[in-house]
Amino acid sequence: MKLALLTEKSLSLFAAVGGWRTVAEGVASRVVFLIAYLVTDQVSTASLIAVGGVVVFAGIRAFTDRKYWQAAIGLVIVGASALLAGSTGRAVDFYLPAVLMQAAGGAVFLLSIAVRLPLIGLVLGRGERLDWRRDPPRRRRYQLCTGIFLAKYVLATAVLVPLYLAGLVTPLGIAATLLGGAPAAGVCAYLCWRFLRARSALAR
């Protein structure tokens, strides 16, 4: 894959999932809930504040970018987290969806590697009708990049589950924001981009 095409595909993928606004919204919702809970010591109040913040973000996104589905997804996820925490009265339950998503994500990435259909290949190879599968070096590169994301999900799950079970709200909130959110995913995406870019340069 040529460097320009690889860069274009990576940027288009990033834009498709919402770009920097989606990154900021995902991080902000978890941080806002944690800060609000530490200040008020009230789960319901912190949940409402977190939802309110996301509603504002979603409204701005829908009004300025007309990207309704991206705004709706973020609102649904935070709304479900807030509803769960509010119904149980346990602040750690606000982060339970994040814990479950890490475990589920790890299972999906592992399965894609096991069946030799690495997710990174499916994403970056869109429109090629799986032609990249007939190129063993390229398929191995996609497998390795998928493995990078798999390692992130495994690490996040290994950290988040014990914190959740122990009921440690502050460490869980920080870990869910960093490991279970956009920061860790961004690092993985950057590492994959650098790896594929280096391999593409060597193949020229």
Side-chain angles (χ1 to χ4, degrees):
M1 183 183 295
K2 293 182 179 180
L3 296 181
L5 180 59
L6 173 61
T7 301
E8 180 182 348
K9 282 179 173 286
S10 301
L11 291 176
S12 64
L13 173 63
F14 183 65
V17 298
W20 289 111
R21 283 195 176 185
T22 297
V23 172
E25 290 167 11
V27 171
S29 63
R30 293 170 181 172
V31 172
V32 166
F33 174 84
L34 180 59
I35 293 175
Y37 176 71
L38 293 176
V39 171
T40 65
D41 198 32
Q42 296 292 323
V43 175
S44 58
T45 301
S47 298
L48 289 174
I49 292 174
V51 171
V54 174
V55 167
V56 172
F57 281 128
I60 294 174
R61 170 76 66 91
F63 181 77
T64 59
D65 294 346
R66 300 293 192 272
K67 294 181 178 179
Y68 303 105
W69 70 270
Q70 293 169 351
I73 288 175
L75 185 57
V76 168
I77 293 175
V78 176
S81 301
L83 182 62
L84 181 60
S87 63
T88 64
R90 301 174 68 239
V92 290
D93 285 336
F94 183 86
Y95 298 101
L96 180 57
V99 177
L100 297 178
M101 283 190 292
Q102 297 312 299
V108 170
F109 273 79
L110 178 60
L111 179 62
S112 75
I113 292 176
V115 299
R116 302 173 70 82
L117 279 172
L119 280 179
I120 299 302
L122 294 177
V123 171
L124 293 182
R126 289 176 300 170
E128 298 181 32
R129 298 181 180 180
L130 300 181
D131 290 344
W132 52 266
R133 293 194 69 197
R134 292 189 288 272
D135 184 350
R138 188 175 173 192
R139 186 178 65 243
R140 285 194 295 270
R141 291 196 291 269
Y142 287 152
Q143 289 271 56
L144 179 58
C145 286
T146 303
I148 292 175
F149 275 90
L150 173 60
K152 173 261 182 193
Y153 281 108
V154 170
L155 175 61
T157 303
V159 172
L160 295 178
V161 169
L163 292 175
Y164 173 78
L165 294 177
L168 301 175
V169 180
T170 300
L172 178 61
I174 296 172
T177 301
L178 298 178
L179 295 177
V187 170
C188 291
Y190 175 74
L191 291 176
C192 289
W193 181 79
R194 287 298 300 267
F195 173 75
L196 293 173
R197 183 172 181 269
R199 291 296 179 179
S200 298
L202 289 175
R204 295 179 63 182

